[in-house]
Amino acid sequence: MSSLIDLSKKAKVVLEKKKVFGEKAQVIVALDISGSMSHLYSNGTVQELADRLLGIGMNMDLDKSIDIYAFGERSHEVGEAKESNHQGFVSNMMRKLSFEWSTNYAGVMQKVIDKSSVKKATGLGKFFSKKPEAPDVPTLVFFITDGDNHDKAAAEKLIKESSNQAIFWQFVGIGNASFNFLQKLDDMGGRFIDNANFFAVDDLRNITDEELYERLLNEFPQWITEARSKNILK
């Protein structure tokens, strides 16, 4: 496993290659805590993934961190992982939470949307503006799961409703499930702009840091361009 400094350097190289180095975002990671994920927590894979994602956060996030959420039957806002506390962050998280035996996406998605939609209006604008001003900084969500969910209609509705907001959803399926629904979220119509991407990987430990970053950031640069052209993002 690469050090956090090495991960940050590798992420920077990919961001530069994709011409988005210097772009800032609120980086959020939503982690599946359904029971079927337990072995990936116990063998350290989820902690390694959190560190790899923090490599992106250290380059992009305004606080050089990642906000961690967890979801199973319920949803949880866990806290902020950063350079000073990343070691053992996942183990500490799971001392406070328990694995849950069903998987729902909509609850944690709504939490992310609610947090991302908070606008700090100032001056006369808060009284007279007809719609919120486009934000300077988008929200980039890495949504990690190993299987299907029970609330497909609600999750699909939230993806469509958030397609005119400055939120990009990067779904990652881990394991050998079919992930048909996540593929649907990636491809479906009825959205203001395409605000989601999806890829699957059987074993995160068999994919290099560079390849992981390439895939995690595959569509985000195009989304930034389109979001700006549609006045979703400054």
Side-chain angles (χ1 to χ4, degrees), residues 48-65:
E48 291 174 13
L49 175 60
D51 287 346
R52 295 164 95 178
L53 294 171
L54 182 53
I56 295 176
M58 289 177 68
N59 283 281
M60 296 193 71
D61 190 89
L62 292 171
D63 299 321
K64 297 185 176 181
S65 64

Side-chain angles (χ1 to χ4, degrees), residues 18-193:
K18 294 184 175 294
K19 300 184 178 3
V20 288
F21 180 70
E23 292 281 355
K24 294 301 177 183
Q26 178 185 16
V27 181
I28 290 178
V29 177
L31 295 172
D32 189 340
I33 56 167
S34 60
S36 57
M37 288 279 295
S38 61
H39 69 291
L40 296 175
Y41 282 83
S42 62
N43 70 11
T45 297
V46 176
Q47 177 65 59
E48 291 174 13
L49 175 60
D51 287 346
R52 295 164 95 178
L53 294 171
L54 182 53
I56 295 176
M58 289 177 68
N59 283 281
M60 296 193 71
D61 190 89
L62 292 171
D63 299 321
K64 297 185 176 181
S65 64
I66 52 177
D67 293 330
I68 304 287
Y69 289 70
F71 64 95
E73 181 179 356
R74 295 169 293 141
S75 59
H76 314 267
E77 186 173 356
V78 176
E80 185 181 65
K82 50 192 173 182
E83 187 174 8
S84 62
N85 72 348
H86 75 100
Q87 293 183 345
F89 187 94
V90 170
S91 295
N92 292 332
M93 176 183 86
M94 293 312 298
R95 289 190 187 101
K96 301 172 185 176
L97 300 174
S98 299
F99 289 107
E100 299 174 2
W101 299 101
S102 62
T103 307
N104 294 308
Y105 295 169
V108 72
M109 291 170 67
Q110 188 65 64
K111 275 185 165 64
V112 169
I113 291 168
D114 290 344
K115 184 168 185 176
S116 302
S117 298
V118 173
K119 305 284 195 307
K120 292 183 178 179
T122 58
L124 294 176
K126 63 183 177 181
F127 297 107
F128 296 111
S129 60
K130 293 184 179 180
K131 69 176 184 177
E133 188 177 355
D136 297 304
V137 176
T139 298
L140 173 58
V141 186
F142 297 115
F143 196 101
I144 316 298
T145 183
D146 74 336
D148 223 340
N149 61 318
H150 296 284
D151 58 346
K152 291 181 176 61
E156 186 174 336
K157 182 172 181 284
L158 288 173
I159 290 294
K160 289 180 179 179
E161 289 179 350
S162 66
S163 66
N164 64 352
Q165 299 180 40
I167 306 171
F168 185 79
W169 305 88
Q170 176 58 65
F171 294 98
V172 181
I174 52 180
N176 56 7
S178 62
F179 300 112
N180 291 331
F181 180 64
L182 292 181
Q183 190 64 62
K184 179 181 180 181
L185 294 183
D186 184 4
D187 297 335
M188 71 180 177
R191 291 176 289 171
F192 187 68
I193 64 171

